Amino acid sequence: MFVRRVRLSFWIGLGLALTALTACTPILDKTKLRHDGVVERMTVTAPAVARKGGPACGGAKLAAGVKGGEKSGSGFTPTMGYRVGPGDNLRFNIFGETGMSDLTARVDDAGFVQLPIVELVRVGGKTTRDIQAELKEAYAPHFINPWITVELVNAESAPLYFLGEFREPGVRYMKGATNVLEAVALAGGLGPDAYLPGARLLRDDRICTVDLNALLRNGDFAQNVWMKPRDVLFAPLKEDMSVYALGAVNRPQAIAFGAEGRTLLQVLSMAGGPVPGQAHLAEIRIIRTASPTQGELIVVDATAMLAGRGLDFPLEPGDVVFVPRTVLGDWNVAIGEILPSLQVIGGVLTPITLIESLKND
C-alpha cells in the first residue's frame, strides 16, 4: 500500500526550550504494522506527555471548571467570588447619611477608589463583601453604626478575547469564575463555519492543550477548564488554515488550505516541486494535527502517485509535508529538520507544539 499511517494520541507539552528537547521519537517498526484493508497502521504513544493526565498550559495541569466541585491541578483555578480590579465600576451606599447614597467610582490602575471623608481606599483584589466590611470599619469614627452596601456596576478588569468565527467576536468580561463553555456562551457561541479542530485556547503567550473540538462535539468535560483573565479563544475558518511544504522542495512555505482543500501533489507543485536529484519521494512524511492533543504521523509514497499507480493524497488543514533527502529510519531526523522551519513560519495555527512534543518524548 502506498500510504502507511502511524497513529498518535497524546497530550502536548508546551513552552519547552529547544535545548531541553531529547531524541526519543517513534521508530517505524515494520514488524508491528497491521493491515486494515485500506492502509497499514502502527499505534504508538508518547508516555511522558500522556502522564500529564489532562489539559495543560506551560507544563501546569489545568483543572476542569466545575463549580462546587473539586479543584485540582497546579494550573490556574479561580477564587470563588469576583475580585475587583482596575477598570471596574463600583456603587456605594451609606444609608441615612446625607450625600452618601449612590456614589459611583471607577477603580484606578493601582486598585484604588476615591470616596468622601476616607478618600483613597484600596479595593483591588477584594470581593465586594471584603470592601463592605472594611468601609464599615473606616466610616465607624464618622457615623454611628453605618449601614453600607457595595455593588459591582460594570466589570471590566477581567477581559476575555474572542477571535475568529464566534457569533459575537471581540472582548467580553468575566464577572466571576468562568469555564470554557461559559466563555463561549459570552461570545454568543461559535459560528456555523468555525473549524473546531483548529480552535485554540491561548494563555500567557502559550497554546494550551485544551481540545475544544472534543469538548464541544464529544462532550469531553475534562476539557472544560477554568478561564483566566486575558485568555484568548480562537476559532478559525477551515480555509484560513495552512498546510506546510518543507524539506527537499524548491520553495518551502506555508500554503493556504483554501475553500476547496489541498492534495499532496498540489502542494508539492505550489512549493516549486521536489528538488531534482535530492528529493526522496518514496517516503514523504506528513505530521497531521487533529487538535492540540491528537495527531497522526503518515508516510506516503508519492512515486506511486506520479507513476499513476495511486490516487493523489488529500491533505487536512495544518498538515506538515516534509520531503526528505535520504531514506529515514525514524522520525527524529525529519522532526529535527522540520522544527526550525516551522519556528520561522510561526503563528497561532502552526503545529509547532505538536512537533516539539514528539521530539521531547
Side-chain angles (χ1 to χ4, degrees):
M1 193 50 118
F2 66 93
V3 176
R4 299 193 303 277
R5 297 189 181 203
V6 185
R7 289 197 174 275
L8 182 72
S9 180
F10 58 90
W11 295 110
I12 303 170
L14 295 173
L16 300 174
L18 294 182
T19 55
L21 300 179
T22 60
C24 187
T25 50
I27 296 175
L28 287 177
D29 186 350
K30 297 183 180 181
T31 65
K32 295 182 180 179
L33 290 171
R34 62 181 177 82
H35 191 269
D36 63 4
V38 179
V39 296
E40 292 178 312
R41 307 171 188 269
M42 182 181 70
T43 301
V44 294
T45 58
V49 178
R51 282 196 298 270
K52 292 178 181 175
C57 207
K61 181 181 175 182
L62 301 182
V66 180
K67 294 183 178 178
E70 180 182 355
K71 299 188 293 296
S72 61
S74 58
F76 174 77
T77 54
T79 54
M80 295 300 111
Y82 184 79
R83 300 281 172 173
V84 171
D88 287 342
N89 285 280
L90 300 174
R91 179 181 290 120
F92 303 88
N93 277 289
I94 305 178
F95 291 92
E97 305 297 338
T98 303
M100 301 296 288
S101 61
D102 288 331
L103 301 172
T104 59
R106 184 177 180 86
V107 183
D108 66 21
D109 290 342
F112 288 87
V113 294
Q114 294 188 26
L115 293 173
I117 302 175
V118 294
E119 299 183 352
L120 282 178
V121 178
R122 181 184 290 277
V123 297
K126 301 174 182 178
T127 66
T128 54
R129 185 173 295 182
D130 294 335
I131 299 167
Q132 181 185 31
E134 292 181 13
L135 286 180
K136 186 176 179 68
E137 184 177 345
Y139 278 111
H142 307 282
F143 305 117
I144 299 173
N145 194 22
W147 181 19
I148 300 173
T149 62
V150 181
E151 177 187 359
L152 179 68
V153 180
N154 290 315
E156 297 186 4
S157 66
L160 297 174
Y161 303 96
F162 299 89
L163 306 179
E165 296 305 300
F166 290 92
R167 294 186 186 275
E168 298 174 10
V171 184
R172 300 291 181 274
Y173 297 94
M174 298 169 58
K175 296 183 179 180
T178 304
N179 57 36
V180 172
L181 286 178
E182 292 169 330
V184 171
L186 286 177
L190 287 156
D193 298 323
Y195 182 62
L196 274 178
R200 301 288 183 264
L201 168 62
L202 287 75
R203 174 175 297 171
D204 300 329
D205 299 324
R206 293 187 175 97
I207 302 174
C208 301
T209 62
V210 177
D211 191 340
L212 295 175
N213 187 48
L215 170 62
L216 298 172
R217 290 276 171 83
N218 304 325
D220 181 0
F221 288 99
Q223 310 298 321
N224 191 28
V225 301
W226 293 115
M227 300 292 290
K228 182 180 179 181
R230 294 174 178 78
D231 277 355
V232 178
L233 282 175
F234 176 67
L237 283 170
K238 190 172 186 177
E239 51 262 41
D240 287 342
M241 306 250 323
S242 297
V243 292
Y244 305 86
L246 304 173
V249 291
N250 285 301
R251 294 192 300 273
Q253 61 183 287
I255 297 169
F257 188 75
E260 302 300 322
R262 301 294 182 193
T263 66
L264 176 60
L265 294 185
Q266 277 183 326
V267 165
L268 292 179
S269 175
M270 295 173 76
V275 177
Q278 296 185 28
H280 183 64
L281 299 176
E283 285 196 4
I284 291 179
R285 303 298 178 99
I286 298 174
I287 296 180
R288 174 163 294 174
T289 305
S291 75
T293 63
Q294 295 184 0
E296 288 182 308
L297 306 181
I298 303 170
V299 181
V300 180
D301 182 359
T303 60
M305 301 176 194
L306 294 170
R309 298 194 306 272
L311 298 176
D312 198 356
F313 184 70
L315 299 176
E316 293 291 333
D319 278 359
V320 178
V321 176
F322 175 73
V323 180
R325 288 177 168 79
T326 59
V327 176
L328 301 176
D330 59 45
W331 283 87
N332 191 53
V333 176
I335 290 168
E337 293 195 36
I338 291 169
L339 191 56
S341 298
L342 281 181
Q343 286 178 311
V344 172
I345 294 172
V348 172
L349 296 178
T350 305
I352 188 169
T353 53
L354 182 148
I355 296 172
E356 286 184 355
S357 184
L358 280 175
K359 181 104 187 250
N360 190 59
D361 288 303

